[in-house]
Amino acid sequence: MTTSRRDFLKAATAVPAVLSFGSAAPALLRRAAAADPTPDSDRVLVVVQLAGGNDGLNTVVPYDNDEYGRGRKTLRLTKREVLPISSDLGLHPEMTACRKLFDDGRLAFVQGTGYPHPSGDHGGSMRIWQTARLDAEVHQTGWLGRTVDALDDRTSAGGVFVGSISRPLTINPTRSIVPHVRRIESWQLPSEEDPIAQGGRDMPALLAEVARRTQVAKAHAVRVEEVVCSSPRQEYPDTPLGANLRIVAQLIEANVGVRIFNTELGGPPPGGFDNHAGQKDNHAALLHQLSEAVGAFVADLKRHGLLDRVVLVTFSEFGRTIAENGRRGTGHGSAAPMLLVGGKIRPGLIGDHPDMTQLENGGPKYHTDFRRVYATLLDQWLGINSQKILGERFQPVGLFG
């Protein structure tokens, strides 16, 4: 079989996508070596998965709504408790860092997001959000994985998953290498000669190109080490998400060509947000972790002059029911807000709070297809044709400008 120059170089500057941190770092550095970032390709997207079904009604709280009050005898948050962000909405009291970002014009909520005929199953609904396809069961790639493939065609930059759980379907590509990073300290090149390059000694011209790229990769490794060892760092909360976003910020600062980052809060699906019992304290702790980690991340990026390059967005497989159950928890609902932060986003509340009398699955019905948010991020932020990634065209949401 004939090996093309492109295929050989891709193989020679990457390792198989084995997700242990010992091999992930060399994979990414070799990929990043393929091309240095250019000024028109340095925008970064960070996607945070909130596993389990985040309770949007106790995140962006309609505290004076009668339906909300009647349905939640123990979980209701009152006007006195919330952090007001409009005349009739407030944030959960544990989201003080997010409230500051909101006031500073760095945070937005896209309200009422979901999709038609929503599934109440964790795995099925999460797969739809991860693939951005309603027929998700037949797709083996995620929307971010397909985005990494598209970036690979244009800039040879890629994406990574940062976290301790198995790499989500969200960032599964077709042909690209997407490493799994658990610790920034493992971000180094091996000292031994690349075994793939050794096997290609009958192609000296291509090996010369591999050698050139390896030198770039080594320079990137030095860049990461300098960031880790010498750069002043914002203090992050001692939480899993805090640690993950710290790694993301370090890699953005190191500027090794990575444009897509995926991480998570809540653990493996169904995860920590699946609060069928004892929701009040558990949900408060998760929102506190989210808020404090995102606040530290934004402060870190701002300190290093990087905030205008970055957008962070959250998603969860569904919201929760309006009515609480007999165990002081909630069931699987439908619509929920998506949180976005960045230096260039249009801050504030985007779209109306969903109608509390129009229900599906016991929760507010969606009015904004989440794929419209994805499409806007692809078209207007990353500069990628969203139709090629999502399979159809979606009307944009006013996230920028």
Side-chain angles (χ1 to χ4, degrees):
M1 181 175 66
T2 302
T3 302
S4 71
R5 171 185 171 86
R6 175 181 172 83
D7 289 343
F8 177 77
L9 287 174
K10 283 177 69 70
T13 55
V15 298
V18 177
L19 301 183
S20 63
F21 62 72
S23 62
L28 180 58
L29 288 172
R30 289 190 178 98
R31 279 180 48 76
D36 280 320
T38 55
D40 62 348
S41 64
D42 66 350
R43 286 182 172 181
V44 172
L45 178 63
V46 182
V47 178
V48 182
Q49 171 179 298
L50 307 180
N54 177 41
D55 182 11
L57 294 175
N58 270 15
T59 302
V60 179
V61 187
Y63 52 83
D64 272 343
N65 184 275
D66 291 339
E67 298 297 327
Y68 172 76
R70 280 194 292 267
R72 300 193 169 200
K73 302 304 182 185
T74 70
L75 297 178
R76 179 184 183 181
L77 294 169
T78 66
K79 182 177 182 178
R80 193 174 288 182
E81 293 173 297
V82 301
L83 306 170
I85 56 174
S86 76
S87 61
D88 57 355
L89 296 173
L91 296 185
H92 191 285
E94 289 295 330
M95 299 183 73
T96 53
C98 279
R99 163 66 184 276
K100 183 177 186 305
L101 293 178
F102 190 91
D103 291 344
D104 291 345
R106 304 297 190 187
L107 183 147
F109 287 99
V110 182
Q111 302 193 90
T113 62
Y115 59 91
H117 311 294
S119 168
D121 173 70
H122 284 290
S125 192
M126 181 63 84
R127 193 176 183 94
I128 288 171
W129 281 82
Q130 291 174 334
T131 63
R133 301 294 177 93
L134 299 185
D135 58 344
E137 66 277 359
V138 302
H139 294 279
Q140 300 304 316
T141 60
W143 77 282
L144 288 184
R146 297 191 295 273
T147 301
V148 173
D149 284 336
L151 289 170
D152 181 56
D153 286 341
R154 294 173 51 185
T155 67
S156 295
V160 300
F161 175 70
V162 180
S164 60
I165 69 169
S166 298
R167 188 183 72 182
L169 176 60
T170 315
I171 201 163
N172 265 13
T174 298
R175 60 183 178 275
S176 303
I177 298 295
V178 175
H180 183 164
V181 178
R182 292 177 172 89
R183 296 174 57 241
I184 193 68
E185 290 80 7
S186 301
W187 200 272
Q188 59 186 5
L189 284 169
S191 58
E192 67 271 12
E193 188 177 0
D194 193 317
I196 299 176
Q198 290 184 34
R201 295 186 185 279
D202 59 335
M203 293 180 281
L206 295 185
L207 285 178
E209 180 68 6
V210 170
R212 183 192 70 80
R213 295 186 180 194
T214 300
Q215 291 303 310
V216 176
K218 289 179 178 177
H220 286 181
V222 170
R223 207 175 294 166
V224 172
E225 185 174 1
E226 288 174 349
V227 168
V228 172
C229 295
S230 63
S231 178
R233 191 94 263 139
Q234 172 73 26
E235 184 176 349
Y236 282 77
D238 185 18
T239 61
L241 184 61
N244 292 345
L245 289 182
R246 187 177 193 271
I247 292 171
V248 172
Q250 289 173 313
L251 294 178
I252 293 171
E253 185 186 351
N255 199 29
V256 293
V258 185
R259 297 182 62 194
I260 305 296
F261 293 89
N262 187 200
T263 188
E264 59 81 33
L265 172 61
F273 286 90
D274 191 28
N275 300 151
H276 290 279
Q279 176 175 316
K280 185 176 182 179
D281 291 343
N282 188 58
H283 190 236
L286 287 166
L287 290 183
H288 180 77
Q289 182 177 168
L290 173 65
S291 179
E292 293 299 309
V294 169
F297 181 65
V298 170
D300 199 358
L301 295 177
K302 187 176 180 181
R303 172 184 288 182
H304 292 91
L306 299 170
L307 185 58
D308 285 353
R309 287 183 51 203
V310 180
V311 169
L312 178 149
V313 61
T314 69
F315 76 94
S316 194
E317 62 261 48
F318 39 64
R320 313 297 294 189
T321 56
I322 294 177
E324 65 179 77
N325 57 34
R327 297 181 293 163
R328 299 187 177 184
T330 54
H332 302 172
S334 178
M338 298 173 72
L339 176 153
L340 294 99
V341 297
K344 294 292 188 180
I345 63 164
R346 180 166 70 88
L349 297 169
I350 300 174
D352 296 329
H353 193 276
D355 188 336
M356 298 288 282
T357 65
Q358 297 293 316
L359 305 185
E360 57 185 359
N361 293 351
K365 186 176 182 179
Y366 89 102
H367 58 61
T368 298
D369 194 307
F370 74 88
R371 293 169 294 176
R372 293 180 58 196
V373 178
Y374 288 2
T376 308
L377 292 169
L378 290 165
D379 290 323
Q380 298 182 13
W381 183 248
L382 295 176
I384 293 173
N385 185 338
S386 65
Q387 188 169 1
K388 292 184 178 179
I389 305 300
L390 305 179
E392 56 184 295
R393 180 66 64 187
F394 292 92
Q395 181 182 359
V397 180
L399 303 181
F400 305 102

